[in-house]
Amino acid sequence: MDSLTPSDLFSPSKARQQRARAQDWAHIDSWLSYKYAGRTVPAFERNEETLKVLRELSMANERADEERAIMERVEREALKELDEVTTDPNDAHILSTLRAHLTPEGTTALSALASTTIALSTPTSDPQTLAHALISHTATTQNLTNQLAHINDLQRYLTKQHAILRAQLHELRTDPSFSAPASLQRQTIEQTRQTKHLRTKIREAESQLSSLQSSHARTMTPGSKNVASAEAIMDMLEQQQALDELRERVEALEGEVDEFGGLPADLAAARKEVGRLEIKCDEVRRERDELFEGLVGR
C-alpha cells in the first residue's frame, strides 16, 4: 500500500484517496483474517487491481452470507410452523381409506398429482392451477433457451471476429509494406534543413528588395523618373519572380515535411503509428463500402 508523500499532504484530493485506499485495505485485511481463522494469510501483491478484485470478492461473499442467513431463518421458521401443525385424525383416516380403495392406476395418478404440485410449488393441486403453472414454466424455459442460443451465437461471432483481428494484427506487424521506410528519419531531417535554409534566403531577398526600393526612392529625380522607373520595375519584377519561386519551393517542402510531422522521431514508434493509421484507413474504407452497399441495396 502506497504511503503519503510530502506532496500529498498539500493535496486534499490525494489525501482523501490515500485514506479511502487505506480503509479499503484495512477492511480486506480484517476480512481475510476472519476467513483464514487464525491461519497465516498468503502473501500477495498490493496494488490497485488486487484491491479491486478483493473488494468485489468480499462484497460478493458478504451478500452470499446474508442470503444464506436469510434462507436458514426461513427454513427454521418453516420447520417451526410444520412442527406446530397438528394432523387431524379424520384426515389421516380419510387418506388411508382413499388409498385402500384406489386402483393401482389411481394410486399412480394421485402420486403424480402430488409430485407435480410440489415440483411446481403451487398452493393447490387444482388441475387448472397446475396447468397455468406448467405453461408459465414452459414459456420461461423456452425464453431462457432462446436467450442462451442467442448468447452462444454471439459468442461464436465474437470469437470469429477476434481471430480475424488477431490475423490482421499479425499481418500489420509482419508485412514489410506496412513498415515505415528506413530512410524516413533522414529524409525528414534533410527536408527540415532545406526548409530552414530557404526561409533564410527568402528573408534575405525580402530585405534586399526593401533596401533597393528605399534607395531608389531617395535617389530618383523628376527628370529620370520614367527611365529609372522602367529599370526599377523590371528589377522588381525579376526579384518578385525569384521570390515567388523560392516561396513555392518552400511551401512544397513544408507540405512534404507536414506529411511526416505527426510521426514520432523514434523509428519503431513511427512504424507503429503508420500501422495504426493503416488500420484506421481500412476501417474507414470498410465503413464507406458498407454505406455504398446499403445505398445500392435501396
Side-chain angles (χ1 to χ4, degrees):
M1 181 174 56
D2 297 335
S3 58
L4 289 173
T5 60
S7 60
D8 294 337
L9 296 176
F10 299 97
S11 176
S13 59
K14 290 185 178 180
R16 285 194 298 269
Q17 293 175 0
Q18 291 288 347
R19 285 196 298 271
R21 191 178 297 112
Q23 292 176 357
D24 290 340
W25 276 116
H27 174 73
I28 293 300
D29 292 336
S30 176
W31 175 69
L32 290 175
S33 300
Y34 171 75
K35 287 299 178 183
Y36 276 86
R39 293 175 295 170
T40 303
V41 179
F44 57 90
E45 185 177 356
R46 293 176 176 260
N47 51 34
E48 290 295 332
E49 294 295 330
T50 305
L51 178 60
K52 179 181 178 181
V53 173
L54 289 176
R55 187 165 53 236
E56 293 176 354
L57 182 60
S58 65
M59 293 174 62
N61 185 260
E62 291 175 358
R63 287 194 299 268
D65 290 341
E66 293 176 357
E67 292 175 358
R68 185 172 62 255
I70 293 173
M71 290 297 296
E72 291 177 354
R73 185 170 63 255
V74 170
E75 290 177 356
R76 287 195 301 269
E77 293 177 356
L79 290 175
K80 184 178 179 181
E81 291 179 359
L82 290 175
D83 292 338
E84 294 176 354
V85 174
T86 59
T87 304
D88 191 354
N90 293 328
D91 293 340
H93 177 69
I94 293 172
L95 181 60
S96 61
T97 303
L98 180 62
R99 287 178 176 175
H101 290 81
L102 282 175
T103 61
E105 291 81 4
T107 302
T108 304
L110 182 60
S111 299
L113 182 63
S115 300
T116 305
T117 303
I118 295 172
L120 296 177
S121 299
T122 54
T124 179
S125 60
D126 180 61
Q128 186 176 3
T129 303
L130 294 177
H132 284 294
L134 185 60
I135 292 173
S136 176
H137 282 283
T138 303
T140 303
T141 303
Q142 186 62 36
N143 290 333
L144 293 176
T145 303
N146 293 337
Q147 292 179 6
L148 182 60
H150 176 70
I151 292 173
N152 290 332
D153 293 339
L154 181 60
Q155 183 180 7
R156 286 192 294 269
Y157 172 76
L158 292 176
T159 302
K160 181 179 178 181
Q161 292 297 320
H162 181 260
I164 293 174
L165 290 175
R166 290 188 66 87
Q168 292 178 351
L169 179 60
H170 178 72
E171 181 181 1
L172 291 173
R173 289 178 175 177
T174 57
D175 193 345
S177 60
F178 294 109
S179 302
S183 59
L184 175 62
Q185 185 175 2
R186 181 178 56 80
Q187 291 177 358
T188 303
I189 295 174
E190 179 64 23
Q191 291 176 354
T192 303
R193 186 187 62 79
Q194 292 180 4
T195 301
K196 292 180 179 179
H197 177 70
L198 291 176
R199 285 177 178 173
T200 303
K201 290 292 185 180
I202 289 175
R203 286 194 295 269
E204 292 178 356
E206 290 176 346
S207 177
Q208 292 177 2
L209 178 60
S210 177
S211 177
L212 288 173
Q213 290 176 348
S214 300
S215 61
H216 179 71
R218 289 194 301 270
T219 57
M220 182 181 297
T221 60
S224 62
K225 181 179 294 186
N226 295 332
V227 178
S229 297
E231 295 177 353
I233 289 173
M234 291 300 297
D235 191 11
M236 290 174 61
L237 289 175
E238 292 177 357
Q239 293 183 1
Q240 184 66 35
Q241 183 178 1
L243 182 62
D244 292 339
E245 292 177 355
L246 288 175
R247 184 177 289 106
E248 291 176 358
R249 187 177 178 186
V250 169
E251 291 177 353
L253 289 175
E254 287 179 347
E256 295 179 0
V257 172
D258 290 339
E259 294 180 356
F260 301 94
L263 295 176
D266 182 63
L267 183 58
R271 290 180 176 176
K272 290 182 179 178
E273 182 67 16
V274 171
R276 186 184 68 79
L277 293 175
E278 289 288 344
I279 293 174
K280 185 175 181 181
C281 181
D282 291 339
E283 292 177 353
V284 173
R285 189 180 295 112
R286 283 196 298 270
E287 292 178 359
R288 181 202 63 189
D289 294 340
E290 290 176 358
L291 291 174
F292 180 77
E293 291 175 359
L295 292 174
V296 172
R298 293 179 183 176

